mmCIF file of all heavy atoms in Angstrom:
data_model
loop_
_atom_site.group_PDB
_atom_site.id
_atom_site.type_symbol
_atom_site.label_atom_id
_atom_site.label_comp_id
_atom_site.label_asym_id
_atom_site.label_seq_id
_atom_site.Cartn_x
_atom_site.Cartn_y
_atom_site.Cartn_z
ATOM 1 N N LEU A 115 -11.432 1.894 5.402
ATOM 2 C CA LEU A 115 -12.059 1.031 6.370
ATOM 3 C C LEU A 115 -13.419 0.605 5.978
ATOM 4 O O LEU A 115 -13.853 -0.550 6.237
ATOM 5 C CB LEU A 115 -11.993 1.730 7.845
ATOM 6 C CG LEU A 115 -10.503 1.830 8.389
ATOM 7 C CD1 LEU A 115 -10.671 2.675 9.760
ATOM 8 C CD2 LEU A 115 -9.823 0.578 8.662
ATOM 9 N N SER A 116 -14.135 1.576 5.511
ATOM 10 C CA SER A 116 -15.560 1.279 5.109
ATOM 11 C C SER A 116 -15.539 0.316 3.916
ATOM 12 O O SER A 116 -16.287 -0.656 3.778
ATOM 13 C CB SER A 116 -16.334 2.577 4.676
ATOM 14 O OG SER A 116 -16.396 3.408 5.740
ATOM 15 N N LEU A 117 -14.579 0.626 2.950
ATOM 16 C CA LEU A 117 -14.457 -0.281 1.777
ATOM 17 C C LEU A 117 -14.015 -1.741 2.257
ATOM 18 O O LEU A 117 -14.604 -2.709 1.711
ATOM 19 C CB LEU A 117 -13.370 0.237 0.845
ATOM 20 C CG LEU A 117 -13.093 -0.576 -0.397
ATOM 21 C CD1 LEU A 117 -14.371 -0.755 -1.261
ATOM 22 C CD2 LEU A 117 -11.992 0.001 -1.238
ATOM 23 N N SER A 118 -13.174 -1.821 3.194
ATOM 24 C CA SER A 118 -12.774 -3.130 3.664
ATOM 25 C C SER A 118 -13.963 -3.842 4.369
ATOM 26 O O SER A 118 -14.163 -5.079 4.161
ATOM 27 C CB SER A 118 -11.654 -2.982 4.756
ATOM 28 O OG SER A 118 -11.340 -4.237 5.213
ATOM 29 N N SER A 119 -14.812 -3.113 5.095
ATOM 30 C CA SER A 119 -16.013 -3.761 5.760
ATOM 31 C C SER A 119 -16.930 -4.145 4.648
ATOM 32 O O SER A 119 -17.533 -5.327 4.822
ATOM 33 C CB SER A 119 -16.537 -2.771 6.655
ATOM 34 O OG SER A 119 -15.779 -2.422 7.729
ATOM 35 N N ILE A 120 -17.131 -3.374 3.626
ATOM 36 C CA ILE A 120 -18.088 -3.791 2.614
ATOM 37 C C ILE A 120 -17.532 -5.089 1.816
ATOM 38 O O ILE A 120 -18.328 -5.915 1.576
ATOM 39 C CB ILE A 120 -18.243 -2.645 1.523
ATOM 40 C CG1 ILE A 120 -18.915 -1.484 2.219
ATOM 41 C CG2 ILE A 120 -18.872 -3.008 0.307
ATOM 42 C CD1 ILE A 120 -19.014 -0.151 1.433
ATOM 43 N N GLN A 121 -16.229 -5.133 1.590
ATOM 44 C CA GLN A 121 -15.684 -6.276 0.895
ATOM 45 C C GLN A 121 -15.936 -7.500 1.801
ATOM 46 O O GLN A 121 -16.192 -8.612 1.177
ATOM 47 C CB GLN A 121 -14.123 -6.013 0.642
ATOM 48 C CG GLN A 121 -13.876 -5.073 -0.490
ATOM 49 C CD GLN A 121 -12.476 -4.799 -0.680
ATOM 50 O OE1 GLN A 121 -11.694 -5.035 0.195
ATOM 51 N NE2 GLN A 121 -12.070 -4.265 -1.828
ATOM 52 N N LYS A 122 -15.667 -7.410 3.109
ATOM 53 C CA LYS A 122 -15.819 -8.516 3.949
ATOM 54 C C LYS A 122 -17.351 -8.969 3.940
ATOM 55 O O LYS A 122 -17.622 -10.185 3.862
ATOM 56 C CB LYS A 122 -15.434 -8.102 5.303
ATOM 57 C CG LYS A 122 -15.385 -9.346 6.346
ATOM 58 C CD LYS A 122 -14.761 -8.849 7.603
ATOM 59 C CE LYS A 122 -14.607 -10.095 8.624
ATOM 60 N NZ LYS A 122 -14.029 -9.675 9.909
ATOM 61 N N LEU A 123 -18.296 -8.011 4.004
ATOM 62 C CA LEU A 123 -19.657 -8.399 3.995
ATOM 63 C C LEU A 123 -20.094 -9.088 2.692
ATOM 64 O O LEU A 123 -20.766 -10.036 2.614
ATOM 65 C CB LEU A 123 -20.540 -7.151 4.243
ATOM 66 C CG LEU A 123 -20.496 -6.548 5.617
ATOM 67 C CD1 LEU A 123 -21.251 -5.245 5.660
ATOM 68 C CD2 LEU A 123 -21.062 -7.583 6.605
ATOM 69 N N GLN A 124 -19.573 -8.537 1.448
ATOM 70 C CA GLN A 124 -19.806 -9.148 0.230
ATOM 71 C C GLN A 124 -19.283 -10.626 0.098
ATOM 72 O O GLN A 124 -19.787 -11.544 -0.363
ATOM 73 C CB GLN A 124 -19.234 -8.273 -0.902
ATOM 74 C CG GLN A 124 -19.952 -7.103 -1.074
ATOM 75 C CD GLN A 124 -19.225 -6.097 -2.080
ATOM 76 O OE1 GLN A 124 -18.026 -6.279 -2.406
ATOM 77 N NE2 GLN A 124 -19.960 -5.118 -2.624
ATOM 78 N N HIS A 125 -18.070 -10.702 0.671
ATOM 79 C CA HIS A 125 -17.411 -12.061 0.764
ATOM 80 C C HIS A 125 -18.180 -13.056 1.533
ATOM 81 O O HIS A 125 -18.472 -14.237 1.106
ATOM 82 C CB HIS A 125 -15.972 -11.961 1.238
ATOM 83 C CG HIS A 125 -15.392 -13.379 1.545
ATOM 84 N ND1 HIS A 125 -15.369 -13.840 2.803
ATOM 85 C CD2 HIS A 125 -14.904 -14.219 0.671
ATOM 86 C CE1 HIS A 125 -14.813 -15.017 2.818
ATOM 87 N NE2 HIS A 125 -14.514 -15.305 1.532
ATOM 88 N N GLN A 126 -18.612 -12.618 2.785
ATOM 89 C CA GLN A 126 -19.386 -13.480 3.605
ATOM 90 C C GLN A 126 -20.777 -13.869 2.883
ATOM 91 O O GLN A 126 -21.185 -15.062 2.916
ATOM 92 C CB GLN A 126 -19.781 -12.814 4.897
ATOM 93 C CG GLN A 126 -18.550 -12.677 5.844
ATOM 94 C CD GLN A 126 -18.903 -11.798 7.039
ATOM 95 O OE1 GLN A 126 -19.928 -11.242 7.151
ATOM 96 N NE2 GLN A 126 -17.946 -11.806 7.929
ATOM 97 N N GLN A 127 -21.358 -12.985 2.133
ATOM 98 C CA GLN A 127 -22.594 -13.243 1.351
ATOM 99 C C GLN A 127 -22.247 -14.376 0.328
ATOM 100 O O GLN A 127 -22.983 -15.352 0.129
ATOM 101 C CB GLN A 127 -23.163 -12.111 0.721
ATOM 102 C CG GLN A 127 -24.498 -12.266 0.032
ATOM 103 C CD GLN A 127 -25.005 -10.949 -0.553
ATOM 104 O OE1 GLN A 127 -24.356 -9.972 -0.490
ATOM 105 N NE2 GLN A 127 -26.192 -11.003 -1.047
ATOM 106 N N GLN A 128 -21.164 -14.220 -0.336
ATOM 107 C CA GLN A 128 -20.766 -15.216 -1.423
ATOM 108 C C GLN A 128 -20.497 -16.520 -0.811
ATOM 109 O O GLN A 128 -20.925 -17.621 -1.437
ATOM 110 C CB GLN A 128 -19.466 -14.649 -2.081
ATOM 111 C CG GLN A 128 -19.689 -13.466 -2.957
ATOM 112 C CD GLN A 128 -18.330 -12.983 -3.574
ATOM 113 O OE1 GLN A 128 -17.301 -13.392 -3.315
ATOM 114 N NE2 GLN A 128 -18.488 -11.973 -4.470
ATOM 115 N N VAL A 129 -19.805 -16.560 0.322
ATOM 116 C CA VAL A 129 -19.548 -17.801 1.066
ATOM 117 C C VAL A 129 -20.874 -18.530 1.421
ATOM 118 O O VAL A 129 -21.047 -19.765 1.190
ATOM 119 C CB VAL A 129 -18.740 -17.680 2.311
ATOM 120 C CG1 VAL A 129 -18.637 -18.990 3.143
ATOM 121 C CG2 VAL A 129 -17.267 -17.170 1.833
ATOM 122 N N ILE A 130 -21.853 -17.767 1.932
ATOM 123 C CA ILE A 130 -23.048 -18.413 2.276
ATOM 124 C C ILE A 130 -23.822 -18.908 1.097
ATOM 125 O O ILE A 130 -24.365 -20.054 1.093
ATOM 126 C CB ILE A 130 -23.924 -17.339 2.999
ATOM 127 C CG1 ILE A 130 -23.310 -16.966 4.372
ATOM 128 C CG2 ILE A 130 -25.385 -17.861 3.273
ATOM 129 C CD1 ILE A 130 -24.048 -15.866 5.137
ATOM 130 N N SER A 131 -23.814 -18.240 -0.009
ATOM 131 C CA SER A 131 -24.466 -18.611 -1.285
ATOM 132 C C SER A 131 -23.860 -19.881 -1.821
ATOM 133 O O SER A 131 -24.566 -20.801 -2.172
ATOM 134 C CB SER A 131 -24.461 -17.546 -2.327
ATOM 135 O OG SER A 131 -25.137 -16.333 -1.806
ATOM 136 N N LYS A 132 -22.511 -19.955 -1.761
ATOM 137 C CA LYS A 132 -21.813 -21.038 -2.285
ATOM 138 C C LYS A 132 -22.069 -22.364 -1.403
ATOM 139 O O LYS A 132 -22.228 -23.435 -1.829
ATOM 140 C CB LYS A 132 -20.443 -20.907 -2.407
ATOM 141 C CG LYS A 132 -20.013 -19.961 -3.554
ATOM 142 C CD LYS A 132 -18.530 -19.745 -3.783
ATOM 143 C CE LYS A 132 -18.230 -18.920 -4.956
ATOM 144 N NZ LYS A 132 -16.849 -18.826 -5.291
ATOM 145 N N THR A 133 -22.164 -21.996 -0.037
ATOM 146 C CA THR A 133 -22.392 -23.160 0.861
ATOM 147 C C THR A 133 -23.780 -23.778 0.578
ATOM 148 O O THR A 133 -24.009 -25.026 0.546
ATOM 149 C CB THR A 133 -22.365 -22.670 2.331
ATOM 150 O OG1 THR A 133 -20.942 -22.078 2.574
ATOM 151 C CG2 THR A 133 -22.536 -23.808 3.364
ATOM 152 N N VAL A 134 -24.816 -22.917 0.388
ATOM 153 C CA VAL A 134 -26.143 -23.437 0.208
ATOM 154 C C VAL A 134 -26.200 -24.151 -1.216
ATOM 155 O O VAL A 134 -26.737 -25.282 -1.252
ATOM 156 C CB VAL A 134 -27.154 -22.250 0.099
ATOM 157 C CG1 VAL A 134 -28.473 -22.677 -0.328
ATOM 158 C CG2 VAL A 134 -27.265 -21.537 1.493
ATOM 159 N N ALA A 135 -25.509 -23.565 -2.241
ATOM 160 C CA ALA A 135 -25.506 -24.234 -3.498
ATOM 161 C C ALA A 135 -24.803 -25.617 -3.466
ATOM 162 O O ALA A 135 -25.214 -26.593 -3.989
ATOM 163 C CB ALA A 135 -24.774 -23.437 -4.518
ATOM 164 N N ASN A 136 -23.738 -25.666 -2.593
ATOM 165 C CA ASN A 136 -22.957 -26.897 -2.508
ATOM 166 C C ASN A 136 -23.822 -27.923 -1.865
ATOM 167 O O ASN A 136 -23.887 -29.142 -2.227
ATOM 168 C CB ASN A 136 -21.678 -26.675 -1.686
ATOM 169 C CG ASN A 136 -20.713 -27.751 -1.732
ATOM 170 O OD1 ASN A 136 -20.718 -28.526 -2.745
ATOM 171 N ND2 ASN A 136 -19.833 -27.821 -0.817
ATOM 172 N N PHE A 137 -24.485 -27.537 -0.750
ATOM 173 C CA PHE A 137 -25.404 -28.547 -0.051
ATOM 174 C C PHE A 137 -26.445 -28.976 -1.055
ATOM 175 O O PHE A 137 -26.881 -30.223 -0.905
ATOM 176 C CB PHE A 137 -25.953 -27.844 1.197
ATOM 177 C CG PHE A 137 -24.979 -27.734 2.321
ATOM 178 C CD1 PHE A 137 -25.179 -26.711 3.350
ATOM 179 C CD2 PHE A 137 -23.927 -28.650 2.391
ATOM 180 C CE1 PHE A 137 -24.233 -26.628 4.290
ATOM 181 C CE2 PHE A 137 -22.973 -28.499 3.497
ATOM 182 C CZ PHE A 137 -23.136 -27.501 4.391
ATOM 183 N N GLU A 138 -27.034 -28.063 -1.711
ATOM 184 C CA GLU A 138 -28.130 -28.473 -2.639
ATOM 185 C C GLU A 138 -27.588 -29.426 -3.675
ATOM 186 O O GLU A 138 -28.361 -30.443 -4.007
ATOM 187 C CB GLU A 138 -28.689 -27.206 -3.360
ATOM 188 C CG GLU A 138 -29.601 -26.289 -2.326
ATOM 189 C CD GLU A 138 -30.030 -25.123 -3.021
ATOM 190 O OE1 GLU A 138 -29.510 -24.803 -4.195
ATOM 191 O OE2 GLU A 138 -30.949 -24.364 -2.514
ATOM 192 N N GLN A 139 -26.427 -29.217 -4.295
ATOM 193 C CA GLN A 139 -25.819 -30.079 -5.257
ATOM 194 C C GLN A 139 -25.578 -31.497 -4.649
ATOM 195 O O GLN A 139 -25.860 -32.549 -5.189
ATOM 196 C CB GLN A 139 -24.539 -29.486 -5.720
ATOM 197 C CG GLN A 139 -23.827 -30.385 -6.790
ATOM 198 C CD GLN A 139 -24.701 -30.508 -8.040
ATOM 199 O OE1 GLN A 139 -25.310 -29.496 -8.514
ATOM 200 N NE2 GLN A 139 -24.763 -31.663 -8.662
ATOM 201 N N LYS A 140 -25.076 -31.529 -3.406
ATOM 202 C CA LYS A 140 -24.800 -32.807 -2.690
ATOM 203 C C LYS A 140 -26.108 -33.524 -2.444
ATOM 204 O O LYS A 140 -26.221 -34.773 -2.539
ATOM 205 C CB LYS A 140 -24.139 -32.616 -1.479
ATOM 206 C CG LYS A 140 -22.683 -32.218 -1.590
ATOM 207 C CD LYS A 140 -21.871 -32.011 -0.286
ATOM 208 C CE LYS A 140 -20.420 -31.784 -0.579
ATOM 209 N NZ LYS A 140 -19.633 -31.583 0.740
#
Side-chain angles (χ1 to χ4, degrees):
L115 292 174
S116 299
L117 178 61
S118 176
S119 299
I120 292 171
Q121 289 177 339
K122 188 173 183 179
L123 290 173
Q124 290 175 341
H125 167 261
Q126 290 175 349
Q127 185 178 7
Q128 291 176 354
V129 170
I130 292 171
S131 299
K132 288 187 177 181
T133 302
V134 172
N136 195 25
F137 285 155
E138 289 177 348
Q139 182 64 41
K140 288 184 178 180

